[in-house]
Amino acid sequence: MDAMSSHKRSKSNSKRSISKLPDGILQRILSFLPTKDAVKTSLLSRRWEYLWTSIPNLEFKEDRPSDNFMPFVDRAISLHISDIKKFTLESYEGGDEPCIKRLIAAVVRRNVEELHIDTDEPQEPLQLPQCLFVSASLTRLDLSICCTLKFPPSISLSSLKHLRFEYITFTNDVSTQRFFSGCPALETICFDKCNWTNLCSVGLRAPKLWKLEIGNNGSYK
């Protein structure tokens, strides 16, 4: 047997060996890949077609503006069938507010624990879906959006421990106070480059809080 034939047989045996592994192990392997690469494994065979739809961490980062990026993320989330531990979205599509709200609502329904959203400035004040503010599973929230954030009347984030707001503008004492009152488990808070407009005072009642950071590049009016 020549070296070429031996090499081909070795590769074939390797593929078969990997495919014999239990789903849980294969999904564990896929969880270490960039999400877009994990999704591509669905093209390998029927055995791999839906394995990626159960990985716990999803990370979507747009390298450059593209008309295909948000539809790809939207499609991936719609196919995902299990709970999501960590969801990260970094996109240039800040103007597509309905899509961002739809994605957030979808991952909240999948009991997301850590949510990271970083987008360009939306065209209008951003009103995130109500379900985000009553999530019982959310432990970490990281929003980096240059926008005026509108809080809903009802807020109950009983598990939220870590909060980071960047470029967010706060404009109302009452709604901002109501938000923090609905986060009794907070341990760390970071305000980075945030703007405080028309706010007289906001009290933080967080008995478990041990770290508070306020960036120096925001504005106060």
Side-chain angles (χ1 to χ4, degrees), residues 121-141:
E121 182 175 1
Q123 296 175 353
E124 299 178 359
L126 183 60
Q127 187 167 6
L128 298 175
Q130 168 70 27
C131 62
L132 172 65
F133 297 98
V134 293
S135 169
S137 62
L138 192 64
T139 62
R140 183 181 295 271
L141 177 61

Side-chain angles (χ1 to χ4, degrees), residues 5-53:
S5 297
S6 177
H7 177 68
K8 288 181 178 179
R9 177 170 294 182
S10 176
K11 286 185 65 177
S12 178
N13 290 337
S14 176
K15 289 180 179 179
R16 285 198 295 268
S17 297
I18 292 175
S19 294
K20 289 180 180 179
L21 292 173
D23 285 0
I25 294 179
L26 292 176
Q27 288 161 352
R28 176 67 173 168
I29 294 172
L30 291 179
S31 69
F32 290 102
L33 296 176
T35 301
K36 63 179 181 180
D37 293 332
V39 174
K40 290 178 182 178
T41 63
S42 63
L43 302 175
L44 294 176
S45 68
R46 288 186 177 181
R47 173 76 172 83
W48 291 81
E49 188 172 1
Y50 296 107
L51 283 174
W52 72 269
T53 63

Side-chain angles (χ1 to χ4, degrees), residues 78-89:
S78 68
L79 292 174
H80 199 273
I81 61 175
S82 66
D83 285 352
I84 297 174
K85 182 177 181 180
K86 181 179 179 180
F87 179 79
T88 300
L89 175 67

Side-chain angles (χ1 to χ4, degrees), residues 15 63 70 72 92 136-137 144 171 189 201 205:
K15 289 180 179 179
D63 298 327
M70 291 302 285
F72 170 75
Y92 293 93
S137 62
S144 180
T171 60
I189 303 174
S201 65
R205 295 181 181 179

